[in-house]
Amino acid sequence: MTTKVPRARLDSARIHSETSPTVRDALILQVLESVSSTNDAVLELWAENPGALLVACTADEQTAGRGRLDRTWMSPFGAGVALSLAFPAKAIAHVPTLIPLHFGVLVAQVLEACGAPVRLKWPNDIVMTSETGEIRKLGGILATKNADIVVVGIGLNFSLERPELPTETASSLSLEGFTVSREEFIGRILSATSELLRAESTDDAWLADYVNLCSTLEREVMVHPADGVAFKALATGIDEHGGLVILREGSQEIVTVGDIVHLR
Ligand code: BT5
């Protein structure tokens, strides 16, 4: 019989020590044991801290984590990162549809620095790809923007085991052979976010990084529009608003909302 070692709680002091000194002064960070959704908790924290540049909430477990279109996001205790960031909408020039793409790039760059090279699947998935092109989902991003505030939620599987994963195509960093500290990841994401907000840049050079990291391009895909019938197409690019450029029966179209299945 094997006895399982209980999973450790997030170490708040370690997260702080992993952030760069410039972030520490501007950051309000809440580390919770359990919460319904960090995207909701971060809004409460934001309301209590008017004027903050960056407010963040993370939790060891979410009991009602959300994906896009009100889908469920599984966050079993101590096995992943559920992290939500809130910052003033005026601190970022992007149109809302670009925000999850840009944070996808930050997540991929941070994971690369932590020794785990991942790729991105349009629009908001953090994935690993096999040599045969098979995709395994490790995480996702859920971003909302209104006139005053942007909330970016990042969900990432660190040590989830196979039975804990909701689909056959889901995976975790540990199942893929990578050991990454959750605290280091969170600390680095907070630092990268603060740098992005301080830069006040309208430069979209990062979009080239997205294109390089995106495993969806130059592939045949099945497009499942949010409100329509699925169809096959070739994914060829990303437009300036973060839409997926596709060739459908020889004509170019842009997909703005929906799900993509990679065919080969
Ligand atoms: C996403 O949605 O991938 C965005 C996930 C964002 C989660 C974060 S966690 C912190 C913050 N607080 C929240 O409440 N949410 C954010 P979407 O593309 O709609 O994918 C959702 C689908 O992924 C589900 O329908 C499942 O099929 C699958 N899924 C759910 N949990 C998963 C997990 N842990 N790993 C891999 N796939 C998962």
Side-chain angles (χ1 to χ4, degrees):
M1 198 178 93
T2 53
T3 313
K4 284 215 156 178
V5 180
R7 284 169 169 154
R9 282 210 58 193
L10 277 166
D11 180 340
S12 173
R14 171 122 194 250
I15 296 175
H16 279 280
S17 73
E18 295 284 357
T19 58
S20 55
T22 46
V23 190
R24 270 171 239 159
D25 308 334
L27 172 71
I28 312 281
L29 172 66
Q30 185 175 51
V31 181
L32 300 170
E33 198 163 343
S34 182
V35 71
S36 53
S37 160
T38 54
N39 267 25
D40 296 337
V42 83
L43 279 173
E44 287 168 29
L45 194 60
W46 172 267
E48 289 159 16
N49 293 279
L53 174 65
L54 178 59
V55 171
C57 175
T58 186
D60 276 302
E61 171 191 62
Q62 291 186 120
T63 53
R66 294 191 298 274
R68 290 176 303 144
L69 310 167
D70 273 335
R71 292 189 283 227
T72 301
W73 183 258
M74 312 291 290
S75 308
F77 187 92
V81 160
L83 170 67
S84 296
L85 312 160
F87 50 84
K90 61 178 187 306
I92 194 158
H94 299 8
V95 292
T97 43
L98 283 177
I99 293 172
L101 275 62
H102 199 159
F103 276 85
V105 171
L106 294 189
V107 168
Q109 288 171 341
V110 163
L111 284 174
E112 171 93 52
C114 295
V118 296
R119 304 210 66 204
L120 304 172
K121 172 173 174 278
W122 186 88
N124 68 327
D125 286 352
I126 319 295
V127 300
M128 290 260 168
T129 50
S130 72
E131 276 171 16
T132 54
E134 185 201 321
I135 294 282
R136 293 182 297 274
K137 177 162 173 165
L138 304 177
I141 294 173
L142 178 65
T144 56
K145 180 181 183 184
N146 68 25
D148 301 324
I149 178 172
V150 173
V151 173
V152 179
I154 300 168
L156 189 63
N157 301 331
F158 279 63
S159 59
L160 277 83
E161 291 172 9
R162 180 82 13 239
E164 294 173 297
L165 291 165
T167 66
E168 283 202 350
T169 52
S171 189
S172 63
L173 287 166
S174 62
L175 286 171
E176 299 295 326
F178 298 101
T179 306
V180 177
S181 145
R182 294 189 296 155
E183 287 86 353
E184 180 182 357
F185 173 80
I186 294 170
R188 283 180 182 263
I189 288 287
L190 293 170
S191 303
T193 305
S194 151
E195 233 170 78
L196 170 70
L197 301 179
R198 283 171 199 273
E200 290 177 3
S201 168
T202 52
D203 173 8
D204 59 5
W206 64 269
L207 207 46
D209 295 329
Y210 183 89
V211 167
N212 285 332
L213 286 162
C214 184
S215 61
T216 307
L217 301 180
E218 305 308 328
R219 270 177 185 281
E220 208 181 334
V221 293
M222 186 66 92
V223 180
H224 295 262
D227 53 359
V229 178
F231 59 88
K232 268 190 200 173
L234 179 70
T236 58
I238 304 292
D239 80 354
E240 72 278 17
H241 294 124
L244 183 68
V245 184
I246 55 163
L247 268 183
R248 180 186 187 183
E249 290 168 9
S251 15
Q252 185 167 298
E253 293 182 18
I254 311 288
V255 183
T256 53
V257 192
D259 288 303
I260 296 293
V261 175
H262 292 186
L263 295 177
R264 57 188 154 99

